[in-house]
Amino acid sequence: MLSPARTTIRPPAPRPALPRSALLALCACVLVAQSMVAAINLLVPQLSSSSLHPSSSELLWTVDAYVIVFAGLLIPAGALGDRYGRKGALLCGLGLFAAGATLSALATTPAVLIAGRGVSGAGAALITPATMSILLRVAAPAHRPRALAAWTLAVGLGGLAGNLGGGLIGQYLSWRALFWVMVPLAALLAAAVARTTPRTDKAVETPAPDPVGTLLLTGGLFALLFGIIESPLYGWASARILAAFAVGAVLVASFAAHALRSRAPLLDPRVFGSRRLRAASLGTAACFFGLFSLFYVNSQYLQYVKGYGAARAGLAIIPLTVGMALFPRLAARWSGRPRPVVGGGLLLIGLGLLGASTAGASTPYALYACWLLVISAGTGLCMPALTLGVVGSLPAHQTGLGSGLSTSAREVGAALGVAVTGTTLAAHASGGFADGMAAALRVVALVVVAAAAVVTAGYGKSGSGSGQRANGGQNHSSAAAGNSSSSCLPSSSAP
């Protein structure tokens, strides 16, 4: 008698481990992309007197082109990586970043320099969400909070690296050196990523490309960011700025209407029905609102008021990295209780900004550095939980889209922080820089403290929304796969 055939049930293939070398390569990529946001600010004096002879408007666009393109393309770039491959998107982003740097270094006119900055910004938009998405897809569930803490640290260190590198180049080298350095650096990072980083599965559940939605959302973000960034120059009530805000609002509203009708939207607006997502997005924006307000006034305070050189001013911001390096590890241990972590971190940022607002010409640097430490501790404490709060509100197969959404909130908050600070400084110009800085930082601090209260309330009293996703988010993908029209809806575990 023949024995019955046996059916062999094979367990699912194990998720590949995240090598330490891959973690370092991914964090280095996001650090370099973030550094270019800040580095150019310290080269403005050299650029203004260079052979390019840029006008004040061209100088402003040299600074802003990178940020506007970077922030405007983050959400579609994240979705692109989800659908076609995150590692491929990262390598393409590094290539674009290097191409833009080359174009900027070779620029003979302000227009070419601005175009190069925009191309690099498009590369950064592919780099940033791809790095986080790979981390969250490859790292074991129990290790995701730590991996994300390392990624958050890299974002913070990018601001420091930009200030430090821009200061050193501004004092000792030509402005072109900043861009030439980025070309071999991007090539080295691409080689490291190709060698160390595993490929992640392509998200078959991700909807097909949505070109209409992509154009509407990207155009709307471009217009809104243009209005925010240029408002200190033209005035918030000027016709140009009001028109930019109006165009942005119409395009974003058109995108929402299109997405609600589409069977496969780029981003379903109904995801914002999640209280956790709304609170985490607001908290992320508030954190960078405060941080970039400080970045905007810090180098000017140290150079104009304290008399530091550009290189010394870049080094003087190092205390901001201490809390960002130490506190994310602590925050990772509390990933299951995000509410006090997020609220406490934002409150520390607000209190640190209030303390920094008291700094003047006679303030010892040691005291000023103490306030920088408070701000950095708050940033390191809240950012991993806030990032998980945004990404965790989307299905697991859309981690790239979630990363793009989180980073968009960062960049919009940063742009608003610089705009509000610049406007307040201009309003207090007659009293000197120190008085304007004090007024600006007090306004920003009060906004951050108010946001801390709103965000804490938005997280509610329930346990571990974002931490739960960090430790078991892969369960969302199967639930979301059934219906493409609802694949962007928040999971049922999100409040």
Side-chain angles (χ1 to χ4, degrees):
M1 179 182 293
L2 296 174
S3 60
R6 294 181 179 179
T7 302
T8 303
I9 300 176
R10 296 183 179 181
R15 192 180 289 252
L18 177 66
R20 183 177 293 272
S21 57
L23 176 63
L24 291 174
L26 294 171
C27 288
C29 288
V30 75
L31 186 152
V32 169
Q34 194 68 37
S35 71
M36 289 297 279
V37 176
I40 195 70
N41 290 298
L42 291 154
L43 298 178
V44 167
Q46 193 183 115
L47 277 168
S48 62
S49 59
S50 70
S51 59
L52 297 183
H53 304 299
S55 65
S56 58
S57 177
E58 289 169 334
L59 204 57
L60 185 67
W61 273 102
T62 300
V63 174
D64 294 342
Y66 183 89
V67 177
I68 289 177
V69 176
F70 178 27
L73 292 178
L74 277 166
I75 293 175
L80 200 67
D82 283 337
R83 181 164 185 85
Y84 296 107
R86 301 172 182 92
K87 184 175 179 179
L90 174 55
L91 292 172
C92 288
L94 288 167
L96 273 177
F97 186 85
T102 303
L103 188 61
S104 298
L106 294 172
T108 55
T109 65
V112 175
L113 177 59
I114 292 167
R117 290 277 291 164
V119 172
S120 287
L126 284 166
I127 292 169
T128 304
T131 52
M132 186 201 292
S133 183
I134 292 171
L135 285 177
L136 292 177
R137 295 292 289 178
V138 175
H143 296 155
R144 285 177 192 157
R146 287 191 177 184
L148 192 54
W151 188 92
T152 303
L153 171 61
V155 173
L157 290 179
L160 167 72
N163 277 277
L164 183 57
L168 289 171
I169 289 172
Q171 187 157 341
Y172 299 113
L173 298 171
S174 163
W175 61 268
R176 296 181 190 273
L178 172 68
F179 302 106
W180 282 127
V181 165
M182 292 298 154
V183 179
L185 184 56
L188 182 64
L189 289 173
V193 167
R195 183 177 180 82
T196 66
T197 304
R199 290 190 178 274
T200 61
D201 53 313
K202 295 180 182 178
V204 295
E205 304 95 337
T206 302
D210 178 14
V212 174
T214 298
L215 287 173
L216 289 173
L217 182 59
T218 303
L221 287 174
F222 280 173
L224 292 174
L225 284 164
F226 173 84
I228 291 169
I229 291 172
E230 301 232 333
S231 56
L233 181 64
Y234 297 102
W236 291 88
S238 68
R240 181 185 300 225
I241 301 304
L242 291 176
F245 286 145
V247 169
V250 168
L251 289 176
V252 170
S254 300
F255 165 77
H258 163 79
L260 289 172
R261 292 193 306 268
S262 174
R263 297 183 61 186
L266 172 68
L267 174 67
D268 194 320
R270 286 169 289 189
V271 297
F272 292 100
S274 164
R275 289 177 59 201
R276 180 65 53 87
L277 176 61
R278 295 197 305 270
S281 299
L282 175 61
T284 301
C287 177
F288 275 72
F289 176 78
L291 201 58
F292 272 75
S293 297
L294 178 71
F295 283 155
Y296 186 77
V297 299
N298 174 75
S299 61
Q300 297 179 71
Y301 165 71
L302 292 173
Q303 292 182 77
Y304 301 155
V305 179
K306 301 293 287 182
Y308 289 11
R312 188 181 177 190
L315 288 169
I317 204 173
I318 285 179
L320 263 180
T321 64
V322 176
M324 292 182 189
L326 297 179
F327 277 79
R329 286 183 173 270
L330 186 63
R333 296 179 185 175
W334 298 337
S335 60
R337 301 178 62 193
R339 192 184 189 210
V341 172
V342 167
L346 288 173
L347 188 59
L348 281 176
I349 294 172
L351 293 176
L353 289 169
L354 281 175
S357 72
T358 64
S362 60
T363 302
Y365 171 74
L367 178 58
Y368 182 69
C370 287
W371 296 121
L372 297 184
L373 287 171
V374 173
I375 295 168
S376 72
T379 305
L381 192 63
C382 68
M383 275 313 301
L386 286 169
T387 304
L388 280 173
V390 175
V391 178
S393 298
L394 294 174
H397 65 273
Q398 291 186 315
T399 50
L401 180 62
S403 173
L405 185 59
S406 175
T407 311
S408 292
R410 283 192 185 93
E411 297 305 320
V412 170
L416 271 172
V418 171
V420 170
T421 303
T423 301
T424 310
L425 282 173
H428 292 79
S430 60
F433 181 82
D435 288 344
M437 171 180 159
L441 290 184
R442 282 197 295 269
V443 169
V444 171
L446 293 175
V447 171
V448 174
V449 170
V454 175
V455 170
T456 303
Y459 263 77
K461 296 181 180 179
S462 59
S464 59
S466 61
Q468 190 177 24
R469 166 69 168 82
N471 292 318
Q474 69 270 29
N475 295 331
H476 293 296
S477 59
S478 60
N483 187 351
S484 64
S485 66
S486 62
S487 63
C488 289
L489 292 175
S491 64
S492 58
S493 64

